[in-house]
Amino acid sequence: MSKHVMIVAPDGATEPVETSKVQHYLARRSRWQAEEGKRIEEIKARGKVPDLCGPEIPEAPARRAFRVFEPQGLYPDGAEGWVNKPSGYHGRKTIEHSDAFDQMEGQARKLLFTPGQKQIGRLYATLTEKLASADIRCSTMEVRQGSCSSGGGYIEAVVRDRRQLDLLQRRIGQGVAMEVRKIRPSQRNQRRPIPDRALVDAVCLQGKTIAGVLERHGWKQPGKPAAGQHIKALRAALCATLDRMIGPVTSGMQVQSSEDIAKAMQSWVRGGG
């Protein structure tokens, strides 16, 4: 004879249910609670700030990948000398967001891009995000010509950012980083061309690594490593596109920092790119 328990509904109605079904439900709920608890702990762990950074940096589960670094500063050393020392508050380290460039170099354990290439890629991402959130009602032509009549300095800043982004996009061009016609006909239906613009957008805006871009366009099977020649070819194409975005560099000028990029940008825009 099977045993039953009585389930009481909110309205007072009762319904007999077999004990085995109740036990099955309780076991399933217990497994779900354990899995959900594990998922929540993993989310909290991703947002945990290392102790060496101090308590001033809040824990943020929604914070994307970051890396720990130690701020450096120049301090007087003797009468005229200077020495480079850690400059963190109370000797603490800090964190900064880790983008696709950091992830790729971290996985390879070596430098893959020049400082200028990384800076121009990050500038491209910053300009795109700023303009995507800009509350402006001008048409594309008005923005490009700077003919908006309201908003003062804000409109001027948006127009300047728009011109800079337009310049970078022109320099990216309409080329193709990986072409399907260069592979065997049997693989053409699986792989799609990778345009230069799609490559830059995937890395700089969407945080995709080279392997991730290859997988998105069918050049890499999910769960399997990408072919070395494909990674090398696509990385070379990305570096070449980033160099084009940097543009012509005057004699003796080195594009190493965001300040160098900003100075070069001002001359590019004034000169029409």
Side-chain angles (χ1 to χ4, degrees), residues 191-259:
R191 300 176 179 178
R192 303 186 302 278
I194 306 177
D196 291 336
R197 175 71 180 275
L199 173 59
V200 173
D201 285 357
V203 173
C204 299
L205 305 183
Q206 301 159 17
K208 292 286 186 181
T209 63
I210 294 295
V213 178
L214 289 170
E215 182 174 336
R216 171 181 288 183
H217 290 81
W219 294 76
K220 171 185 173 298
Q221 295 299 321
K224 296 183 179 180
Q229 68 268 27
H230 294 160
I231 291 180
K232 184 177 180 180
L234 195 57
R235 185 189 299 136
L238 175 61
C239 290
T241 304
L242 293 172
D243 286 337
R244 289 201 308 275
M245 293 168 66
I246 294 174
V249 179
T250 58
S251 178
M253 176 182 176
Q254 291 185 343
V255 179
Q256 299 287 331
S257 65
S258 57
E259 289 79 10

Side-chain angles (χ1 to χ4, degrees), residues 111 113-120 122 246 255-257 261:
L111 298 178
F113 307 93
T114 67
Q117 290 169 348
K118 289 184 284 189
Q119 290 296 342
I120 199 68
R122 289 162 180 163
I246 294 174
V255 179
Q256 299 287 331
S257 65
I261 292 290

Side-chain angles (χ1 to χ4, degrees), residues 5 18 20 23 35 62-63 69 86 101 110-111 114 116 130 137 171 179 190 211 244 246 260 270:
V5 296
E18 291 185 8
S20 60
Q23 292 174 344
E35 293 173 356
R63 182 185 288 124
F69 75 99
F101 295 109
K110 63 179 180 180
L111 298 178
T114 67
K130 286 174 63 178
R137 297 295 182 265
R171 287 181 172 175
E179 296 185 86
Q190 302 173 0
R244 289 201 308 275
I246 294 174
D260 296 333
R270 285 195 300 267

